[in-house]
Structures are given as C-alpha cells and as structure tokens.
Amino acid sequence: MNSRVYVYAHITIHKSNRFCMKTESYIRILAGTLVLVSLALAHFVNSWWVLLAVFVSLNLIQSAFTGFCPAELILHMLGLGDGACAVRTGKQP
C-alpha cells in the first residue's frame, strides 16, 4: 500500500490510497438515506412510512444531547468508520 505520513500540530495524518471516513460521516449518510427512502415510500406506498423519518430524526436529536447513537454501535460492529485518518501523537500545544 502506498502511504505517506504528515505530522502537523502533534497529529499524524496518514495519506494512503485507502478511502477513510469518520463514523460521523457514515451516520449522516445512513440517516439521510433512511429519511429519503422513508419519504419516497410514504409518497408511493403508504403514508405511514413517514414514521421512519420521524424515528430517524428523533434519534439524531437525542444522540446530539446524550452522545448515545445505536447506529454508531452497529457500524462499529460491522467494522465501518473506526475513526478518522488522523491519530494523535502527543500533547496539544
């Protein structure tokens, strides 16, 4: 694997050919997709599918206040979004 390492402000950033995404980004993609699918199903199938969008929205709101997100736990179990591509190497200035 072709990789480069940069150090800036005590943070090592690994640049590689591997695509790296934070868990937070996966959560946003998942939530946005579920809301769009829910609205499409509500429009074309049954209006009760709006409840899925409501559930996703309420879960996003509660996770902002509590820090607990069930989707994050599931993504970690699947091995997705293990963290950022940046790793702390020392104390912050």
Side-chain angles (χ1 to χ4, degrees):
M1 180 181 282
N2 188 8
S3 65
R4 296 172 294 222
V5 177
Y6 301 97
V7 177
Y8 178 73
H10 300 286
I11 298 175
T12 302
I13 301 173
H14 300 277
K15 299 281 187 181
S16 66
N17 294 336
R18 182 176 165 254
F19 182 70
C20 190
M21 191 183 307
K22 293 182 181 181
T23 306
E24 184 177 319
S25 298
Y26 280 113
I27 297 292
R28 290 178 179 173
I29 291 170
L30 178 65
T33 303
L34 283 174
V35 168
L36 288 176
V37 167
S38 169
L39 294 177
L41 287 170
H43 180 74
F44 293 111
V45 179
N46 189 342
S47 62
W48 284 100
W49 280 102
V50 171
L51 292 178
L52 178 60
V54 170
F55 172 74
V56 171
S57 301
L58 290 175
N59 196 16
L60 286 171
I61 292 169
Q62 74 82 23
S63 71
F65 288 109
T66 64
F68 173 73
C69 182
E72 185 178 9
L73 296 175
I74 294 169
L75 288 173
H76 279 293
M77 286 191 287
L78 293 174
L80 296 173
D82 292 331
C85 295
V87 180
R88 293 228 178 260
T89 59
K91 295 181 181 178
Q92 261 187 313

